[in-house]
Amino acid sequence: MSEIPAKATESEDPSGGARNQAAQTAVPGDAMWQSSPPGSIYDYIRVASFAISPGGVVDQWSLRAEQLFGIPAERAVGMDPIEAFIDPDLREHGQRKMAEILDGREWTGVVPFRMPDRPDGARGEEGLAEVYVMPTLTAEGEKAAVCIVVDVRTLRSIETDLAASQAIFGQSPFGFLLIDIDLRVRRANMRFASIFGGSPDDHRGKGVHDYLPRAEAERVSATLRRVLETGDSITDMHVTGFVPGSEERRHWSVNLYRVHSGSGRPIGIAWLGTDITARRAAAREAAAARRNLALLNEAGARIGNSLDLETTARELLDVVVPGFCDLATVDLYQGLLAGDETPPGLADGSAALRRVAFASAVSDAPFSGSGEPVAVGAVHHFPFNSPCADALRTARPQRVPAEDGGLVQSMLVVPMVAHDTVVGLAQFARTKGSEPFGDRDRDLAVELAARAAVCIDNARLYRREHERALILQRSLLPPGDPEASGLDIACRYLPGNAATEVGGDWFDVIELPGHRTALVVGDVMGRGLRAAVAMGELRTAVRTLALLDLEPAEVLSALDEIARGLGTPGGVQQATRAARQPRDADLSEVYLATCVYAVYDSVTRRCTFANAGHLPPVLVEPGEAALMLDVPPGMPLGVGGEPFEEVEVELPEGALLALYTDGLVESRDHPLDEGLQAFVGALTDPAHPSPDHHSSTTAPRADTHRNLEDVCDHVLNTLDTHHGEDDIALLMARVQGLPADSVGDWTLPREPRSVGRAREYARAQLLSWDMEPLVDTTELLVSELVTNALRYGEGEIRLRLLLDRTLVCEVWDSGLVQPRRRRARDTDEGGRGLQLVGLLSAAWGSRRTPRGKTVWFELPLPGGENSLTDPAEALLSLF
């Protein structure tokens, strides 16, 4: 066997461009354990050869023999191989074998050998060689031999590597391919063949286009070329395709790396693929579960932040579009929205519904579902046999098949159920190109709809309770525009924001005897129905106490006692005893309120104020700037133990008096002082803006001639940024005192003649007022009251007639004994005076004064709705 030592060739093209280059002969010193491309098994197995002459010595010594044995040719030629390489104890046997070989016999065997000793005297290395000896003839016809020697250690290593490679390639649970430089399958393992059919040999010569769709095959081919050119490995490349006999899309994870020959030349690409279809499906399931959990978490955070029905429905759609679907609507029962508990047709799904929300992620595409599109806010019915009506009847979700040629390819109809009650219907739709709804999507839609339904039902219940509380609250306020003698009154009541609870603000205008008027503004601390009920109780108590004609400070003291008893079942006495016991205060049972109570006398134009922790009244005198009255605030009602002070103020004609609650001047963003100053400024004439505080100009003047309703509107518009969180009560009154010619006032001595003189004064005054129809009745009643004052009273007698919207007659004396009405027996000659007063007058009563008492009666004016009682008939009815 001849050998051709070769130089390392020029760099080889991986695509095979250099594979046809001829081997270049090299100088002897450049011999290497490799050959020119394409290479052979000898690149891996260390093979050497030498020739033996007829004399049994080395005749020729190859370059690879030099490398294998480490002996140069000039030393090896002429050596006896038996003497040089065989141990002494085996040399005799070796000599016999050499004789047989030179006699013409072939021989193959494994021979232990020892390298000759080194020049430095070191013993040569021992080895094991497989020797193949072939007899030859020389040119002269003499018998010689050629020996081929293989390093057994290298051969055994290669055998082991091949066995391991074969075991890995054949027994691998992954698809294993060896792809050549032409991108053709050179070898496939059994696992790959079991997936794509046939035997491993059936796949030789195939390309990626034989296994993958065209687009995917092009992508994979480009990747294979890049690996072959650059040598960069590819890890976990995802490949999608199909296997023979199945339409299911499969997914593989592929690892690629370039394979080299023993000489380092690229000879192909190793392909290691594993089926990850199930793993991808599990990953999609996990991703879907995470997405659903995130959607539910977002729904919990975003749905139900408002107690408004429509807002809650929109919050649901903000969550599901586009994260869950492309189109969605919410329909709620119209009856429930209107406040009905069980609207007709609820059980069979035929009741009217109102579309309260719609959302689209597809260019605002309309959503029809089935039938004609429904606009937001429209009231409609679902056909009885439709999936929507069926979902409402059964309270179960329905899948609606897609309409041919329509935009929607998959739709879910989900009833909104809260507390076992269907409150409406949610529809979710996905357009063509999106993944259709699955079972998990249906379950998620049911959960989302249920959460929104609970929030909507809570909002509905809150709206119902809020409306009831507002009805209760407003029923406790004065109806319409209150009227009072000597006052022009305008009032405003504004509830807080729709999302807040009702409050305990109230105001009242109470007419008192003698053309006097009580003005009341109060605020129960806290919110909700509890505060509104407490406000109603206090307002009722105020009216009752006012009719007793008590002084303002006395009214507030009595109110304080009532407020302390509101939170205690045993009333005021139980509350007082409990307060003395050492215990922790239960603030939830404490009713606190602020209140300002004012009594205005239209005859004297004097107003008496008492304040229980409330904001000060504001007075605007004609031509002057508005100012806050210095009324001692006192403690709030319900605290107890502190007396209240009174302040009396004379109000000029045309002055404005404003009472209000803190919602008008206080908010989170504006402190109370700033709100009060803004309120005082709003009552100033808007034509004269407030000067800069550095200016020396005079203070702005208030315009008290504006219409009082306009003043109220101006105040609310000006202070719009200062309120909104709390209720607002505003009560304004313009002073219009009773004219002097509408008052008749006389002092009578304590003598019998005063009765007749009182009748004369009353007749003359009524005739001067053109009130002749009232003369007879007034004379009779004045005679009775003056007679009682003479009989049961003390000191001088004062008679006063007041003419305004009614006629009021007052008889004053210094006695403290209050008149008491009793029913006289048929045989009694007297005792019927006060009965007669009660029959003939529209109202009558008595009140204490600082120096005695006043008995009064009131008669309607002629031409009014209430007619006078005939005195003769009244007298006959007493008997």
Side-chain angles (χ1 to χ4, degrees):
M1 177 178 291
S2 62
E3 289 183 342
I4 304 177
K7 284 185 178 181
T9 60
E10 298 177 0
S11 61
E12 300 171 2
D13 185 357
S15 63
R19 77 180 66 169
N20 296 323
Q21 294 181 0
Q24 301 290 328
T25 303
V27 296
D30 293 332
M32 298 177 62
W33 283 99
Q34 68 179 36
S35 62
S36 301
S40 67
I41 190 63
Y42 298 108
D43 292 336
Y44 303 96
I45 305 174
R46 304 181 69 183
V47 179
S49 64
F50 59 90
I52 300 176
S53 68
V57 297
V58 175
D59 188 310
Q60 295 181 0
W61 192 255
S62 66
L63 295 177
R64 291 194 176 181
E66 288 185 6
Q67 296 175 356
L68 177 62
F69 294 102
I71 301 174
E74 59 269 17
R75 180 183 171 191
V77 173
M79 292 176 56
D80 183 349
I82 301 299
E83 293 293 334
F85 300 107
I86 303 301
D87 286 337
D89 55 346
L90 296 176
R91 287 176 183 173
E92 183 180 354
H93 180 69
Q95 292 293 348
R96 288 197 303 268
K97 288 296 181 182
M98 179 62 72
E100 292 176 358
I101 291 169
L102 292 177
D103 194 34
R105 293 182 60 183
E106 292 186 0
W107 181 81
T108 301
V110 177
V111 178
F113 68 93
R114 181 174 58 81
M115 303 290 289
D117 295 339
R118 296 177 182 177
D120 59 359
R123 182 179 177 83
E125 296 181 0
E126 295 182 354
L128 193 64
E130 184 173 309
V131 181
Y132 179 33
V133 183
M134 297 174 290
T136 63
L137 295 174
T138 64
E140 292 81 9
E142 294 181 306
K143 293 181 180 181
V146 174
C147 296
I148 299 175
V149 181
V150 178
D151 187 346
V152 173
R153 293 172 299 180
T154 303
L155 185 61
R156 295 295 178 264
S157 176
I158 292 175
E159 288 176 348
T160 302
D161 292 345
L162 289 175
S165 176
Q166 181 63 29
I168 293 174
F169 196 86
Q171 300 174 17
S172 172
F174 310 112
F176 215 150
L177 295 178
L178 182 60
I179 300 175
D180 61 19
I181 58 178
D182 294 324
L183 304 186
R184 295 289 176 179
V185 176
R186 178 62 60 88
R187 187 176 180 186
N189 71 343
M190 195 63 200
R191 176 62 178 170
F192 184 87
S194 67
I195 296 174
F196 287 92
S199 65
D201 292 338
D202 294 335
H203 296 277
R204 292 181 183 272
K206 292 185 177 182
V208 292
H209 288 80
D210 297 317
Y211 302 102
L212 301 175
R214 181 175 179 179
E216 188 74 348
E218 293 293 338
R219 183 179 70 88
V220 173
S221 296
T223 304
L224 292 174
R225 293 190 188 95
R226 187 169 65 253
V227 172
L228 197 61
E229 293 173 0
T230 64
D232 297 333
S233 61
I234 299 294
T235 303
D236 196 24
M237 179 180 71
H238 288 193
V239 178
T240 303
F242 301 89
V243 297
S246 174
E247 295 183 357
E248 179 187 3
R249 185 180 296 272
R250 306 291 290 273
H251 302 272
W252 293 278
S253 173
V254 177
N255 298 327
L256 303 174
Y257 58 93
R258 191 169 70 180
V259 180
H260 304 84
S261 67
S263 61
R265 178 177 55 84
I267 61 173
I269 300 172
W271 170 302
L272 180 64
T274 179
D275 193 329
I276 59 170
T277 303
R279 191 175 76 188
R280 283 283 296 269
R284 286 198 304 271
E285 292 290 325
R290 288 193 298 270
R291 185 174 61 251
N292 292 350
L293 286 175
L295 201 63
L296 289 174
N297 183 57
E298 183 182 6
R302 297 181 61 180
I303 300 176
N305 292 325
S306 169
L307 288 174
D308 180 72
L309 295 172
E310 291 78 3
T311 301
T312 303
R314 288 193 297 269
E315 289 170 347
L316 169 63
L317 301 194
D318 290 341
V319 171
V320 300
V321 178
F324 177 71
C325 60
D326 301 316
L327 300 165
T329 64
V330 174
D331 298 287
L332 300 179
Y333 275 119
Q334 176 66 10
L336 294 178
L337 292 173
D340 298 337
E341 293 297 327
T342 53
L346 182 62
D348 60 6
S350 62
L353 295 103
R354 176 158 37 112
R355 180 146 299 175
V356 295
F358 163 75
S360 171
V362 192
S363 301
D364 295 329
F367 182 86
S368 59
S370 58
E372 294 297 326
V374 179
V376 175
V379 179
H380 64 100
H381 297 263
F382 287 117
F384 182 80
N385 295 325
S386 66
C388 296
D390 187 54
L392 290 171
R393 282 193 299 272
T394 62
R396 294 179 179 177
Q398 301 285 335
R399 278 198 182 97
V400 180
E403 297 181 358
D404 295 336
L407 176 68
V408 175
Q409 77 154 354
S410 181
M411 187 169 73
L412 282 175
V413 177
V414 183
M416 305 180 72
V417 183
H419 309 120
D420 298 327
T421 302
V422 178
V423 299
L425 189 73
Q427 300 181 70
F428 309 105
R430 290 178 178 173
T431 56
K432 294 190 182 301
S434 301
E435 185 178 355
F437 289 114
D439 292 339
R440 179 178 283 103
D441 295 323
R442 180 195 60 195
D443 296 339
L444 177 61
V446 171
E447 177 65 22
L448 290 172
R451 292 192 179 197
V454 171
C455 296
I456 287 175
D457 193 53
N458 291 339
R460 177 184 65 84
L461 294 175
Y462 170 80
R463 175 181 289 185
R464 184 188 65 186
E465 296 302 322
H466 185 67
E467 290 176 351
R468 290 178 178 178
L470 284 177
I471 292 173
L472 171 64
Q473 187 181 37
R474 288 169 178 167
S475 68
L476 298 174
L477 297 175
D481 295 327
E483 295 181 355
S485 177
L487 291 176
D488 180 16
I489 294 178
C491 54
R492 294 290 187 274
Y493 181 82
L494 299 179
N497 294 332
T500 62
E501 297 180 285
V502 296
D505 294 16
W506 92 91
F507 68 92
D508 209 344
V509 178
I510 307 170
E511 292 191 77
L512 301 178
H515 290 306
R516 294 174 304 128
T517 304
L519 304 176
V520 188
V521 170
D523 184 3
V524 177
M525 298 182 186
R527 302 196 60 80
L529 193 59
R530 175 178 175 270
V533 171
M535 176 268 283
E537 293 180 339
L538 292 178
R539 177 179 179 268
T540 302
V542 169
R543 296 189 70 88
T544 302
L545 295 171
L547 294 179
L548 294 177
D549 215 347
L550 301 177
E551 295 298 323
E554 294 177 337
V555 171
L556 293 186
S557 296
L559 275 181
D560 179 59
E561 294 290 333
I562 294 172
R564 284 196 295 154
L566 288 179
T568 305
V572 177
Q573 297 300 325
Q574 182 65 29
T576 304
R577 287 193 294 269
R580 294 170 182 169
Q581 298 176 0
R583 65 178 181 87
D584 294 334
D586 185 1
L587 296 180
S588 63
E589 296 299 322
V590 174
Y591 286 82
L592 299 178
T594 62
C595 179
V596 60
Y597 184 88
V599 176
Y600 169 72
D601 190 336
S602 62
V603 179
T604 62
R605 294 200 312 275
R606 302 187 69 83
C607 189
T608 304
F609 296 93
N611 191 353
H614 203 78
L615 296 174
V618 175
L619 178 64
V620 186
E621 296 186 6
E624 299 293 336
L627 56 90
M628 289 182 287
L629 294 178
D630 186 14
V631 178
M635 300 298 291
L637 302 177
V639 175
E642 293 294 332
F644 297 97
E645 298 183 36
E646 292 182 356
V647 172
E648 188 175 62
V649 179
E650 185 173 351
L651 304 179
E653 184 74 19
L656 293 181
L657 180 65
L659 307 178
Y660 53 96
T661 58
D662 57 359
L664 182 66
V665 294
E666 186 178 22
S667 70
R668 297 190 188 98
D669 301 327
H670 300 86
L672 179 60
D673 291 343
E674 180 182 337
L676 289 172
Q677 292 300 323
F679 178 46
V680 171
L683 290 175
T684 302
D685 184 3
H688 300 84
S690 299
D692 185 80
H693 66 280
H694 296 294
S695 174
S696 60
T697 57
T698 58
R701 303 289 182 173
D703 180 10
T704 56
H705 299 289
R706 286 178 292 168
N707 182 276
L708 207 53
E709 297 290 338
D710 295 338
V711 175
C712 288
D713 294 337
H714 172 69
V715 168
L716 294 179
N717 293 334
T718 304
L719 302 182
D720 182 64
T721 58
H722 291 268
H723 72 268
E725 297 97 359
D726 198 2
D727 295 352
I728 293 174
L730 174 62
L731 177 62
M732 298 193 70
R734 175 179 283 126
V735 174
Q736 296 176 345
L738 203 62
D741 56 3
S742 296
V743 178
D745 196 347
W746 305 273
T747 301
L748 302 173
R750 191 171 188 79
E751 56 186 31
R753 289 184 304 172
S754 295
V755 176
R757 192 173 300 173
R759 288 197 299 267
E760 293 175 359
Y761 290 152
R763 170 181 288 274
Q765 186 66 62
L766 290 177
L767 292 177
S768 67
W769 288 338
D770 294 330
M771 295 290 168
E772 187 176 355
L774 300 180
V775 170
D776 294 340
T777 302
T778 304
E779 279 188 317
L780 178 59
L781 299 184
V782 166
S783 177
E784 290 293 335
L785 294 186
V786 173
T787 301
N788 284 343
L790 288 173
R791 182 175 299 177
Y792 306 107
E794 298 177 4
E796 291 184 332
I797 300 172
R798 182 181 177 187
L799 172 65
R800 190 167 72 168
L801 294 180
L802 307 176
L803 178 63
D804 192 36
R805 293 181 297 114
T806 61
L807 175 67
V808 174
C809 177
E810 297 176 334
V811 176
W812 305 36
D813 68 75
S814 301
L816 299 178
V817 179
Q818 296 291 328
R820 182 172 60 88
R821 182 177 176 179
R822 66 183 181 87
R823 182 174 296 278
R825 292 174 295 182
D826 294 342
T827 57
D828 291 343
E829 295 182 359
R832 297 179 177 84
L834 292 180
Q835 293 186 39
L836 184 62
V837 172
L839 287 174
L840 294 179
S841 64
W844 78 278
S846 67
R847 67 177 185 275
R848 291 181 299 167
T849 64
R851 293 181 295 275
K853 67 176 181 298
T854 300
V855 184
W856 59 271
F857 67 84
E858 184 176 342
L859 296 177
L861 300 183
E865 296 180 358
N866 300 323
S867 59
L868 289 171
T869 303
D870 184 22
E873 295 181 359
L875 287 171
L876 292 176
S877 66
L878 296 178
F879 299 95

